[in-house]
Amino acid sequence: MTNKIYDRKPVDELTFADDGMFQEVMREPQICAELIERLLHIKVGHVEYPELEKQIKPFYTTKGVRLDVYLKDNEKVIDVELQCYPQDALGKRTRYYQSMLDMDTLMKGQDYTELKESYVLFICKQEPFFADEEKKKPYGLPCYTFKNTCAENADVNLNDKSVKVIYNSKAYKSVKDEKIRTLLQYISTNEPGKDAFTNRLSEIVEKIKENEKFRSDYAAMNLHDRDIMRMAKKEGREEGAQEKAIDAARSLYENGVSIELIAKSLKMTEEQVKEIVSAHAKEAVTV
């Protein structure tokens, strides 16, 4: 059975929401800034060139994180992630990304009092939250915004300057703000409608598809992912070799492959993969 998550589309079938294309379109700072301004209701000033798939790895023994798009100006740092498929523990994932943004700032020698406003923005093509997980009963909101407030008095704000915003593009029809609705509709359906910005995104996507360098890079990325899958199957399943599976899990993790993918590829549980990675980290410290 084909794993749909890693069975990459041909270049000509790519949409704005597909991995690889999203990052490529967001290379344009003005496009990146406008998307953020629409979805976060904030003004993005002069920004540094957005870093794509930025890797933050504070220490050699820790798990790093690859951010889809990392943007900053004089006052804010913003991470933008587009999720085409459901993610386990999405809340903990946003918490981890948030901590990595702060760590990236502090590693540059700044004091915690100098931390900028921080935004973690997830755009999901599938409903991210369910009132009943077992029955998969969705909350159905188009946007979920999380800030740290006081449980005893909601008027008290911790004022830690961090915000996590998660959009559910599938619920675009219930959005009142026309600019946000058309953007989410485009992400969900690939139909740009009459909105000037989404039509601009669509034009950029079509132009990128014709770019020979992108086509070549995308093909190389495709082959790399297929090699990872082949390696996982070979190392993890041939002859049921447990030691080979452990070595494969370690190797894949060190090459930036997610725990979820390692578990799926090697037919392990995520807990087993986490134990292998944790034990390997402890061994590295004692060496």
Side-chain angles (χ1 to χ4, degrees), residues 19-225:
D19 189 37
M21 180 60 75
F22 173 69
Q23 290 90 341
E24 190 69 17
V25 174
M26 296 291 274
R27 284 184 183 277
E28 296 194 26
Q30 290 182 336
I31 292 293
C32 193
E34 181 161 350
L35 181 140
I36 289 168
E37 288 179 354
R38 282 197 180 200
L39 296 181
L40 294 181
H41 306 287
I42 59 175
K43 187 67 178 176
V44 178
H46 174 72
V47 299
E48 297 182 19
Y49 196 83
E51 296 182 65
L52 308 176
E53 294 195 323
K54 175 181 173 65
Q55 182 172 24
I56 300 175
K57 193 170 184 180
F59 309 105
Y60 77 95
T61 56
T62 61
K63 179 180 183 296
V65 60
R66 290 184 184 274
L67 308 179
D68 278 358
V69 179
Y70 181 67
L71 193 72
K72 54 187 174 181
D73 63 14
N74 294 329
E75 300 175 348
K76 298 175 286 291
V77 292
I78 304 164
D79 166 39
V80 186
E81 305 288 325
L82 201 155
Q83 303 289 323
C84 290
Y85 299 93
Q87 295 289 339
D88 293 331
L90 182 60
K92 290 182 179 179
R93 184 182 293 269
T94 63
R95 172 180 168 184
Y96 184 69
Y97 281 27
Q98 177 71 66
S99 69
M100 289 294 102
L101 292 181
D102 292 342
M103 185 59 69
D104 189 50
T105 297
L106 296 177
M107 282 193 301
K108 294 177 172 61
Q110 292 181 278
D111 186 76
Y112 72 88
T113 58
E114 300 176 85
L115 288 173
K116 299 179 180 181
E117 292 179 44
S118 178
Y119 295 85
V120 175
L121 170 61
F122 271 66
I123 308 168
C124 303
K125 289 197 69 176
Q126 305 293 331
E127 169 65 55
F129 299 109
F130 296 89
D132 188 327
E133 280 288 342
E134 188 173 330
K135 296 180 180 180
K136 290 298 180 183
K137 181 181 178 181
Y139 281 105
L141 295 177
C143 181
Y144 302 86
T145 302
F146 300 92
K147 298 180 181 180
N148 289 319
T149 55
C150 178
E152 289 76 15
N153 186 337
D155 291 334
V156 180
N157 193 314
L158 188 60
N159 200 30
D160 62 350
K161 302 295 184 183
S162 68
V163 181
K164 302 176 184 72
V165 179
I166 301 173
Y167 274 93
N168 169 21
S169 68
K170 195 172 182 179
Y172 68 87
K173 291 181 181 179
S174 59
V175 180
K176 294 181 180 180
D177 186 307
E178 185 178 357
K179 288 186 175 181
I180 294 178
R181 184 175 64 253
T182 53
L183 178 56
L184 294 183
Q185 180 177 358
Y186 175 56
I187 291 171
S188 181
T189 68
N190 198 37
E191 294 294 332
K194 297 180 180 180
D195 181 74
F197 180 62
T198 53
N199 274 276
R200 174 65 177 144
L201 292 177
S202 183
E203 290 170 3
I204 294 173
V205 168
E206 294 307 313
K207 185 176 180 180
I208 288 172
K209 288 180 185 179
E210 297 173 0
N211 184 286
E212 288 303 322
K213 184 178 185 306
F214 174 78
R215 297 179 73 92
S216 176
D217 290 346
Y218 183 81
M221 182 169 57
N222 194 352
L223 288 173
H224 174 66
D225 283 357

